[in-house]
Amino acid sequence: MQALPENEPASPQLEAEQHVATTSHSRWRWLVIAVPFLWLLVFFLAPFLMVFKISLSGQVLAIPPYAPQWDWATGLQGLQAFWQELSLDNYIWLSEDELYWKAYLSSIRIAGMATLLCLLIGFPMAYAMARAPKRMQPLLVMLVILPFWTSFLIRVYAWIGILKTEGLLNQFLLGLGVINEPLVILNTNIAVYIGIVYSYLPFMVLPLYATLEKLDTSLLEAAQDLGCPPLKTFWTITLPLAKPGILAGCFLVLIPAVGEFVIPDILGGSETLMIGKTLWVEFFSNRDWPLASAVAIVLLAILIMPIMLFQRQQQKSAEVGL
Amino acid sequence: MTQRSSWFNITSLGLGFAFLYLPILILVIYSFNASKLVTVWGGFSTKWYAELWQNQQLLDAAWVTFRIALVSASLAAVLGTVAALVLARFGRFTGRTLFSGMIYAPLVMPEVILGLSLLLLFVAVGQERGFWTIAIAHTSFSMCYVAVVVQARLAGSDRSLEEAAQDLGCPPFKTFFVITLPQILPGILAGWMLAFTLSLDDLVIASFTTGPGATTLPMKIYSQVRLGVTPQINAISTILIGLVTLGVIIASLLAKRQRLAQTKRG
């Protein structure tokens, strides 16, 4: 839209007309930018400042349940008093109670492990999709997307009936005679892994497919013709070329999975420590808004690097028109 | 390619899709189970569906959820399209990095953080919580999905038409509505549908930003799931899955018809 005619204006009158057009043009341009920009500033960025402010407050029995409150009417003096009441107590509490550290570490471990499993299951799928006949590919992509359109909560819920002690998986395995006693899977970390892999698999497969589909097969044929063994071709050609897809898929699974609440809550057990659930309990059960805010700020600090890497990677692939 | 590798491909696709679809299939089958025990088959029955119609609270929740999804998807489609246009066509401007960061970050940001932060904002400005706070919260994160979908469409659309129109003196707004919009409309519709289902689906953000009188369907389902597995939940789930599948099929048929019409014209 910013493209203006590049050819030289023919007359001074035309030049003046164009000048008018350019200034009104740029005013409109800023107006168009401002609408989504302001919305995101108010409803995405500003809320984080609120979370940070409240993470420095203390819990009180009131509505809203935190103090100090800052009243515009009290002016500069009020601001000073407000400022002095803020403290790092919640962060000190977080660092001293080992429950929180364990929850952060175990969230990262569970999410990392689930991401790896997603990659191991998703890569062969994406590879097979990219190698399938061209006219079948849209249907296959559709089949990967379709579960994503159906409710997340419902898909997680569906696993309860399968993984229960008297559930379908155990009935099936007992019937086959593979096991003699039912396996305990529901309410363990294994169930959480299954839940995360199941829910996030489309996020892994789609970016992988997008890069593998563009992969130049003549390179693979050349390697094969020159006598390169298939496994070596995979390591030296396919994998490096698929790197953008692998990165995008891993970020799309890992980052949200670290803060996941629904899956550990429904499928996990008492041993399952995940920070998303800790935050939920602090907020809804203990009504400790300031502590929940501090938990969120530390989680954000952990995730900010991967999020920025993800954004850079997305911007790069958007620019090359992926 | 060799025989062996194509067998490997077919097997991995088969297993992958079985993993994705079996749980949903089982859920649907057991919604027609006469037995109250979710894992024991007691014959075919539709009584759980009949029971759903008696559950007024559930129907109310479904209606609220539907209205929120309608409002937030429509807002998100407009805002997201404008955001995509800014990203794809506006070149460099002050704050572009911040802007694209605010578009991409919500895609991966854990929902608990989004929910908590929006709630604290609403409390700080003294906004009473309910229908509109949930709708605004949903708009804010789903507009980013719309922006990404529409941006992909814009990247694939033909820019020379826009440039030709502008060279011939067509004002930017008219160029957008006459040339660009028809080209990216399928992308906007896909984005709208995505925003709609994201809103229908959301439990975490709605739980944080809700207020009295605005209980959504996922919140209702969640509280029932916590009490235990019941065939009624399977029945609601089956209805939702059926509706979404129908919507997706209709959308893809429409897209196919449009493609056919375009190739005929071209």
Side-chain angles (χ1 to χ4, degrees):
Chain A
M1 295 211 99
Q2 84 282 34
L4 281 165
E6 278 167 25
N7 46 342
E8 288 290 310
S11 68
Q13 193 201 345
L14 200 73
E15 197 174 346
E17 258 173 31
Q18 247 176 15
H19 183 70
V20 172
T22 317
T23 45
S24 80
H25 196 147
S26 78
R27 205 172 306 138
W28 279 113
R29 182 178 141 91
W30 278 107
L31 203 68
V32 172
I33 294 176
V35 172
F37 207 124
L38 283 179
W39 181 284
L40 287 169
L41 277 181
V42 172
F43 293 113
F44 183 67
L45 208 61
F48 287 128
L49 300 178
M50 290 306 307
V51 177
F52 186 64
K53 191 211 101 181
I54 288 162
S55 76
L56 300 172
S57 311
Q59 186 188 18
V60 290
L61 282 173
I63 296 172
Y66 55 84
Q69 303 274 337
W70 175 37
D71 193 353
W72 288 96
T74 55
L76 208 61
Q77 224 164 22
L79 183 65
Q80 212 165 23
F82 164 79
W83 196 252
Q84 275 159 3
E85 272 189 71
L86 293 180
S87 78
L88 288 170
D89 285 354
N90 290 311
Y91 292 96
I92 294 167
W93 174 252
L94 278 188
S95 67
E96 279 173 353
D97 194 333
E98 67 172 2
L99 171 84
Y100 298 101
W101 279 116
K102 278 187 178 161
Y104 281 114
L105 286 177
S106 117
S107 304
I108 294 169
R109 205 174 45 233
I110 290 176
M113 183 73 181
T115 307
L116 199 68
L117 286 171
C118 256
L119 183 62
L120 289 177
I121 298 171
F123 198 95
M125 277 183 80
Y127 188 83
M129 281 165 66
R131 292 287 158 276
K134 269 273 172 275
R135 66 193 157 74
M136 271 182 66
Q137 287 189 15
L139 179 72
L140 293 174
V141 171
M142 182 70 140
L143 281 174
V144 173
I145 296 176
L146 201 61
F148 170 75
W149 291 87
T150 56
S151 170
F152 181 74
L153 186 61
I154 289 170
R155 280 181 296 144
V156 175
Y157 161 79
W159 280 96
I160 299 179
I162 299 171
L163 298 177
K164 277 203 304 190
T165 319
E166 67 275 21
L168 293 165
L169 182 69
N170 275 320
Q171 285 179 21
F172 180 70
L173 292 176
L174 284 169
L176 280 182
V178 183
I179 51 170
N180 296 319
E181 268 175 41
L183 302 169
V184 179
I185 303 177
L186 190 65
N187 302 330
T188 68
N189 282 350
I190 298 172
V192 177
Y193 288 133
I194 294 174
I196 295 178
V197 172
Y198 179 69
S199 315
Y200 287 90
L201 192 60
F203 288 110
M204 180 63 88
V205 174
L206 291 174
L208 279 176
Y209 165 77
T211 49
L212 288 173
E213 189 243 355
K214 288 198 173 55
L215 193 134
D216 187 358
T217 46
S218 61
L219 286 175
L220 303 179
E221 281 161 22
Q224 216 175 13
D225 288 349
L226 295 171
C228 184
L231 215 60
K232 200 177 166 194
T233 313
F234 181 78
W235 273 112
T236 51
I237 298 178
T238 312
L239 218 50
L241 285 176
K243 209 179 116 197
I246 296 176
L247 280 177
C250 287
F251 282 135
L252 278 171
V253 176
L254 180 73
I255 303 170
V258 171
E260 184 54 56
F261 162 73
V262 175
I263 297 170
D265 187 60
I266 291 180
L267 298 178
S270 51
E271 50 152 341
T272 313
L273 270 177
M274 282 193 84
I275 201 67
K277 203 179 156 184
T278 310
L279 194 158
W280 183 281
V281 170
E282 289 298 348
F283 185 86
F284 286 104
S285 310
N286 303 345
R287 280 187 67 76
D288 194 339
W289 292 17
L291 191 61
S293 303
V295 169
I297 290 291
V298 175
L299 178 57
L300 205 61
I302 292 170
L303 293 180
I304 197 80
M305 271 306 283
I307 289 176
M308 281 168 74
L309 287 173
F310 168 74
Q311 185 225 336
R312 261 193 26 202
Q313 200 260 346
Q314 286 294 300
Q315 213 172 4
K316 227 164 56 186
S317 58
E319 271 158 22
V320 299
L322 232 166
Chain B
M1 276 307 234
T2 55
Q3 199 71 28
R4 206 178 47 210
S5 76
S6 84
W7 270 113
F8 179 76
N9 284 351
I10 291 171
T11 319
S12 55
L13 271 185
L15 288 178
F17 284 125
F19 176 61
L20 282 179
Y21 282 92
L22 264 182
I24 298 175
L25 196 68
I26 291 169
L27 184 89
V28 171
I29 293 172
Y30 276 86
S31 74
F32 296 105
N33 188 1
S35 161
K36 200 172 165 52
L37 293 166
V38 182
T39 48
V40 179
W41 185 254
F44 182 86
S45 154
T46 52
K47 68 175 172 190
W48 307 114
Y49 290 89
E51 256 183 37
L52 280 186
W53 287 113
Q54 313 295 322
N55 194 336
Q56 192 56 42
Q57 279 186 329
L58 210 66
L59 293 178
D60 289 344
W63 178 231
V64 169
T65 314
F66 179 77
R67 272 162 47 221
I68 290 174
L70 210 60
V71 169
S72 70
S74 306
L75 275 173
V78 175
L79 285 166
T81 304
V82 176
L85 210 65
V86 170
L87 280 178
R89 292 284 195 269
F90 275 44
R92 299 193 183 284
F93 58 90
T94 327
R96 190 190 154 98
T97 313
L98 175 66
F99 184 67
S100 85
M102 291 193 298
I103 292 289
Y104 289 117
L107 304 182
V108 287
M109 189 68 73
E111 288 173 311
V112 282
I113 297 184
L114 289 175
L116 176 70
S117 65
L118 275 162
L119 168 76
L120 294 181
L121 176 81
F122 292 138
V123 170
V125 298
Q127 173 64 44
E128 201 175 308
R129 277 161 285 142
F131 181 91
W132 281 101
T133 47
I134 303 179
I136 286 174
H138 284 177
T139 306
S140 304
F141 83 96
S142 55
M143 70 173 273
C144 302
Y145 283 85
V146 177
V148 170
V149 173
V150 175
Q151 195 194 0
R153 188 86 199 180
L154 274 168
S157 76
D158 191 357
R159 266 187 93 162
S160 57
L161 282 175
E162 287 168 27
E163 281 160 13
Q166 289 199 324
D167 284 353
L168 294 172
C170 183
F173 272 87
K174 201 173 169 193
T175 312
F176 173 73
F177 282 108
V178 178
I179 310 278
T180 318
L181 191 62
Q183 282 194 74
I184 59 171
L185 201 58
I188 299 175
L189 284 178
W192 185 90
M193 270 185 69
L194 186 59
F196 188 82
T197 48
L198 282 170
S199 171
L200 276 190
D201 198 17
D202 168 64
L203 165 73
V204 175
I205 293 170
S207 298
F208 276 101
T209 51
T210 188
T215 306
T216 65
L217 195 56
M219 286 157 69
K220 207 81 201 151
I221 294 176
Y222 175 69
S223 62
Q224 284 202 18
V225 168
R226 300 228 55 182
L227 295 176
V229 180
T230 67
Q232 248 196 34
I233 304 175
N234 288 36
I236 314 171
S237 309
T238 304
I239 293 174
L240 284 177
I241 291 169
L243 287 176
V244 168
T245 313
L246 201 71
V248 172
I249 290 172
I250 290 173
S252 65
L253 284 180
L254 284 177
K256 204 172 179 179
R257 244 179 61 181
Q258 202 200 20
R259 261 204 309 278
L260 280 177
Q262 263 174 3
T263 44
K264 258 183 206 160
R265 242 185 287 147

